[in-house]
Amino acid sequence: TSKNVKETPHRFIRTALFFLILACPCSLLVFPVKITTLLITALVIFWFILSLYYKAYFEFRAKNVLVFLPIVYYSLMIVGMIYTDSQYEGFKNLETKVPLIIFPIIFFTGYDILKGIETKKILVPYALFITVISIVIVGITIFRVKFLGQPGYSFSDLSRRTISIHPGYYSLYVGFSGLIFIRYFETFTNREKVIAAFRIIFLLGFNLLLVARMPLFA
């Protein structure tokens, strides 16, 4: 019908939004900040188009004042630029942390991009992405040791030298992903439970290799 034809582009945009919501956090780990900036820009453009189409006039939906804290923090960072010794590093830091001001706006105003999306459909794929990234890191580390003559590996090889992130920070992603699989374990089919169990064991072992004691304790 004409209505379905009219809805098709917007259904595509909503699908793209869902993909970007999943991709943006993971891309921060493995891609340069410029790539993530492009993904976030596309996310904002799609959100803006749907907000206009559905006449969602940017009314703020959240009642919890805590959602303003990232915006306040980002504003303080901008003020801090007045006293920075390196404008290059300052602007780089602002670009890296632009999600602090963008995400609260697009999640709580205008078109509700999370409407109708189950939490599980976001968290489980996210945890799967982290698992895949961790497997790739292990593969690269083994390749360096076995075929490139690297004498051994340290916990830095498992994150800092591979995806340029501090092991302690990355262990938070890994630990959180393991908790996601545990949280939704009972909702999986029997076959999915077996696969999820291996993922949990792998993530736990990987976190131990990261020597991240405090995140494990938390």
Side-chain angles (χ1 to χ4, degrees), residues 159-180:
S159 63
R160 190 189 297 276
R161 296 180 186 175
T162 309
I163 58 176
S164 300
I165 184 173
H166 190 280
Y169 289 148
Y170 186 60
S171 67
L172 294 175
Y173 291 88
V174 175
F176 181 58
S177 299
L179 290 176
I180 290 173

Side-chain angles (χ1 to χ4, degrees), residues 93-111:
N93 194 36
L94 289 177
E95 182 183 12
T96 302
K97 296 181 179 176
V98 72
L100 289 174
I101 195 170
I102 294 296
F103 285 166
I105 293 175
I106 64 176
F107 285 151
F108 299 110
T109 66
Y111 175 75

Side-chain angles (χ1 to χ4, degrees), residues 70-99:
I71 299 176
V72 172
Y73 175 64
Y74 194 83
S75 301
L76 292 175
M77 290 173 54
I78 295 176
V79 174
M81 285 289 291
I82 300 174
Y83 305 100
T84 185
D85 294 330
S86 172
Q87 289 190 351
Y88 172 79
E89 291 297 330
F91 281 114
K92 182 180 179 181
N93 194 36
L94 289 177
E95 182 183 12
T96 302
K97 296 181 179 176
V98 72

Side-chain angles (χ1 to χ4, degrees), residues 29 123 126-131 134 165-184 199-218:
L29 297 175
L123 292 182
Y126 169 80
L128 179 59
F129 285 167
I130 298 299
T131 305
S134 301
I165 184 173
H166 190 280
Y169 289 148
Y170 186 60
S171 67
L172 294 175
Y173 291 88
V174 175
F176 181 58
S177 299
L179 290 176
I180 290 173
F181 287 130
I182 293 173
R183 165 65 178 82
Y184 292 103
R199 290 172 183 165
I200 293 169
I201 294 172
F202 168 76
L203 291 174
L204 176 61
F206 188 83
N207 232 5
L208 290 172
L209 293 176
L210 285 172
V211 198
R213 291 169 294 178
M214 288 309 297
L216 282 174
F217 178 75

